[in-house]
Amino acid sequence: MIVGQKCKRNRMDINTMNSHTTVNGEVRVRMAPSPTGFLHIGGARTALFNWLFAKHHHGKFILRIDDTDIERSTDESMHEIYEAMQWLGLDWDEGGEKGGPYGPYLQSERKEVYDRYVGELLASNHAYHCYCTSEELEEIRTEAREAKSTRSYDGRCKELSSEVIEKYIADGRKPTVRIKMPETSILVDDLILGSRNIDPATLEDEVIVRSNGMPNYNLTSIIDDVEMNITHVIRGTEHLNNTPKQIAIANALGLSLPQFAHIPLVLDDSGRKLSKRHHGDLVAVNRYREQGYLPEAMLNFVARLGWSYDDKQEIFSLEDLIDKFDLARVGKSGSVFDIKKLEWLNSHYINQLDVSRRTDAVIPYWQAEGLIDSIEDREKLEKIVEAVGERLNTLKDIVPQTSYFFSDDFEFDPKATKKWWGSSDEKKQKTYEILTNLSQILEDTPDFGLDTIESLVWKYTDENDIKRVAAMQSMRIALTGLSFGPSLFDIVVLLGKDEVLKRLQKAIVSLS
RNA sequence: GCCCCCGUCGUCUAGCCUGGCCAAGGACACCGCCCUUUCACGGCGGCGACACGAGUUCAAAUCUCGUCGGGGGUACCA
């Protein structure tokens, strides 16, 4: 087959396929994480695409836990994944701790199902026991590589004599079970990548049951997909090479296949797959939650990684996504995780929140920092949030933006003082005078309302030929320690007369 | 090594199937200007890509071939 043609034909296929699958019965998709760590960005996107596909087609979204690796799977991780999914709002119809008609949904609890199929495979001579030790396998692999073979296991246990088997057993060797790969090529049909034929000579007799009796991913995955009536397997392209293996297993068992859709990977800025192993909790969904990212932003962001609707829309509500999501518009190449764009979306969604809800969202971050211990002064908190306005990229940004409202125990930012208070004695003297005068003016006014203060300050600057910006920035630093932030008069009013005078005094002292 | 996949601005992408409407459009980022009491917001503008080479064609980002580049897999992980 000619490569280019395959690519181009693909989209046509998708369109027709989608319309078919929509009509033919209920769509059932699944997310099948292995509980060996937190949910990461890539996993969240896989979950979202599955969820959107289900919602769009009024189907079911199933959460299955692929925990056949009993060594590495943990309960804690499983619950962390549930939590992350729930936070994102990706609810599931079956599975997880919720159960359902096709349960159990934990693979570790489904061993008898797999055993049944493995028995079948063994009986029909589609699988065989392999007694090789890991050292032997390692050797076989090395040799195969040197010989430039397309396989790394030679199938030597396929035809073992009963004497040899008895000897192995007497030696205490515990066998694995391997699937026998077919002679004929395997057709892999993918909704995103198109279809192709895989030469079985490039496939080896995969281990489907470990020597400890626990079956492996390639077996359990396809069996459960079939058993649970999954219609579409939507997963990352890291599984692309597993697909022909799984198809071979299903074929040997005479099972009918789900449709496959492999979505391209989410990459880091050097183009490598995002993974727990290499990127740590930098890619953990829960970390973004803690940093003050909104689920709407995460979802919107991750949806646009590999998927697009048209050439204009960037902001998508969840309803919008459900409405518009289509596998036909998922691209084939990987997408780099760009945190700047996430931040942009996050600030957008934070700004969408009204002041009350934004205040609710931000309170935990104040509390975590010990800036507030109760929320009694709700009205004041809301006023602070209102003053901060659109200056938050993350909810956590509320801390550096507002900590001075809660404590006068701050340093004057050296860069700010250098620029606005001045570095020469002469300049400092001038600042000293301005702040002293302003302090006097503010002390003298009986009305501490915003408009009054504003006109008093400007009257002073204009009459004395002082640049407004110089006076205001000097005062801002005195009151907050910073050179940036909300409108100065908002700050003055919110701080209150006593506090303002106190802080001005402190600045004046430090200037003298 | 072997197998598989991918390749449009720095990044996410539209366009590719159905060649001409594309001297390639949008968004994020970056830079500049405007607004302005600072910072942000907003407005305006700028920078910036069809990986390369052949072929087909009157015409190619779009079709074909090759090269190069990147990635994934290669486990008794998933």
Side-chain angles (χ1 to χ4, degrees):
Chain A
M1 161 152 313
I2 300 158
V3 179
Q5 272 180 355
K6 179 178 68 187
C7 302
K8 294 306 172 185
R9 193 173 303 151
N10 174 31
R11 279 213 167 153
M12 268 184 339
D13 293 350
I14 292 162
N15 293 329
T16 50
M17 275 177 199
N18 272 354
S19 47
H20 285 159
T21 50
T22 318
V23 211
N24 295 340
E26 184 184 53
V27 161
R28 290 174 60 83
V29 294
R30 87 312 197 266
M31 163 79 178
S34 70
T36 54
F38 42 77
L39 182 71
H40 66 101
I41 301 289
R45 190 189 55 155
T46 305
L48 176 65
F49 280 17
N50 275 284
W51 188 90
L52 290 174
F53 188 76
K55 295 287 173 193
H56 181 87
H57 293 286
H58 307 288
K60 294 273 194 294
F61 176 59
I62 290 112
L63 181 61
R64 186 178 76 213
I65 304 296
D66 284 9
D67 60 346
T68 54
D69 187 347
I70 48 177
E71 316 272 300
R72 294 196 304 147
S73 296
T74 68
D75 234 47
E76 190 195 355
S77 157
M78 192 168 79
H79 286 102
E80 238 184 273
I81 291 169
Y82 291 165
E83 200 184 284
M85 297 271 292
Q86 277 156 354
W87 175 67
L88 288 170
L90 302 179
D91 54 323
W92 49 95
D93 301 295
E94 295 170 26
E97 75 281 88
K98 194 169 182 177
Y102 294 86
Y105 294 85
L106 263 59
Q107 292 196 322
S108 56
E109 294 172 7
R110 298 174 60 77
K111 192 162 176 305
E112 61 245 44
V113 177
Y114 311 129
D115 285 349
R116 205 174 72 230
Y117 283 105
V118 171
E120 232 179 88
L121 250 14
L122 251 10
S124 62
N125 203 28
H126 282 298
Y128 59 92
H129 290 285
C130 170
Y131 291 88
C132 295
T133 62
S134 30
E135 292 74 29
E136 284 166 347
L137 290 172
E138 187 55 45
E139 234 173 85
I140 297 168
R141 261 196 296 273
T142 314
E143 281 168 21
R145 184 175 268 238
E146 275 166 14
K148 303 196 175 189
S149 162
T150 56
R151 280 179 165 155
S152 54
Y153 178 66
D154 55 12
R156 63 177 58 178
C157 290
K158 216 183 306 192
E159 314 282 349
L160 253 27
S161 68
S162 44
E163 296 90 71
V164 176
I165 292 176
E166 270 168 42
K167 183 183 173 295
Y168 280 155
I169 293 173
D171 289 350
R173 290 199 186 190
K174 296 264 187 272
T176 60
V177 178
R178 286 182 186 269
I179 179 79
K180 227 182 247 181
M181 281 299 153
E183 303 289 325
T184 52
S185 69
I186 297 171
L187 175 72
V188 177
D189 206 356
D190 190 281
L191 259 19
I192 292 166
L193 266 8
S195 66
R196 71 219 143 91
N197 278 96
I198 302 298
D199 181 355
T202 65
L203 265 19
E204 53 213 36
D205 292 350
E206 208 71 24
V207 169
I208 54 173
V209 182
R210 298 171 171 90
S211 55
N212 68 5
M214 189 55 89
N216 255 335
Y217 172 74
N218 279 312
L219 178 90
T220 61
S221 178
I222 189 66
I223 284 184
D224 283 345
D225 289 338
V226 173
E227 282 271 320
M228 295 178 178
N229 264 321
I230 300 301
T231 57
H232 301 260
V233 172
I234 303 169
R235 63 191 1 169
T237 40
E238 70 265 31
H239 291 299
L240 194 55
N241 293 311
N242 289 323
T243 309
K245 301 171 191 172
Q246 297 176 5
I247 290 175
I249 293 170
N251 287 160
L253 256 7
L255 305 172
S256 59
L257 295 167
Q259 296 198 65
F260 295 97
H262 287 93
I263 60 182
L265 301 173
V266 180
L267 314 169
D268 69 13
D269 52 17
S270 55
R272 293 187 178 276
K273 180 178 109 172
L274 238 47
S275 70
K276 300 168 204 172
R277 164 114 200 226
H278 294 291
H279 303 91
D281 74 346
L282 240 59
V283 297
V285 168
N286 279 335
R287 178 196 159 90
Y288 289 90
R289 176 187 187 174
E290 288 157 19
Q291 296 293 315
Y293 288 85
L294 263 24
E296 304 90 294
M298 294 299 294
L299 257 12
N300 193 152
F301 172 70
V302 118
R304 286 286 289 98
L305 251 30
W307 173 85
S308 66
Y309 177 64
D310 59 16
D311 61 345
K312 9 186 101 69
Q313 192 174 356
E314 290 290 343
I315 307 288
F316 294 89
S317 68
L318 208 47
E319 296 70 38
D320 225 6
L321 286 174
I322 292 170
D323 183 42
K324 291 170 173 164
F325 184 76
D326 184 354
L327 280 179
R329 291 202 63 85
V330 175
K332 298 191 216 175
S333 47
S335 331
V336 174
F337 173 86
D338 178 13
I339 193 153
K340 286 289 189 184
K341 186 161 180 190
L342 209 209
E343 275 180 17
W344 170 70
L345 282 165
N346 201 48
S347 69
H348 169 81
Y349 284 102
I350 289 176
N351 296 341
Q352 294 292 105
L353 261 32
D354 62 40
V355 172
S356 171
R357 292 202 297 163
R358 206 184 305 169
T359 305
D360 290 336
V362 124
I363 281 172
Y365 294 88
W366 274 327
Q367 287 173 329
E369 213 61 31
L371 295 173
I372 57 172
D373 43 22
S374 72
I375 51 171
E376 284 164 45
D377 204 349
R378 172 81 191 189
E379 202 181 329
K380 187 183 174 190
L381 296 183
E382 289 199 1
K383 279 183 179 158
I384 291 173
V385 167
E386 189 157 26
V388 169
E390 298 188 334
R391 271 168 268 250
L392 303 176
N393 281 333
T394 67
L395 298 173
K396 202 173 186 175
D397 285 348
I398 197 68
V399 172
Q401 282 283 353
T402 63
S403 58
Y404 56 82
F405 279 116
F406 306 99
S407 160
D408 63 357
D409 183 25
F410 55 78
E411 303 285 316
F412 301 117
D413 174 35
K415 277 178 83 175
T417 52
K418 191 179 172 198
K419 174 164 185 190
W420 296 105
W421 283 3
S423 41
S424 67
D425 287 345
E426 195 190 346
K427 286 238 177 80
K428 282 185 190 165
Q429 178 58 32
K430 183 71 186 161
T431 305
Y432 174 90
E433 284 172 26
I434 293 171
L435 291 182
T436 308
N437 292 332
L438 284 170
S439 180
Q440 192 59 54
I441 290 166
L442 292 173
E443 188 174 357
D444 290 346
T445 177
D447 177 5
F448 217 69
L450 192 141
D451 293 341
T452 308
I453 295 165
E454 183 175 314
S455 55
L456 283 172
V457 171
W458 285 355
K459 180 165 180 279
Y460 165 73
T461 55
D462 297 354
E463 281 176 1
N464 294 279
D465 214 19
I466 296 162
K467 278 188 182 162
R468 286 180 175 187
V469 65
M472 303 199 66
Q473 282 299 79
S474 296
M475 181 147 72
R476 174 187 297 281
I477 294 162
L479 299 183
T480 72
L482 305 168
S483 60
F484 61 86
S487 173
L488 182 64
F489 297 118
D490 284 340
I491 294 172
V492 169
V493 171
L494 277 165
L495 247 22
K497 188 169 188 171
D498 290 352
E499 192 64 26
V500 167
L501 294 178
K502 200 175 98 193
R503 292 187 186 190
L504 281 173
Q505 207 46 51
K506 187 176 155 195
I508 289 163
V509 168
S510 95
L511 273 163
S512 55

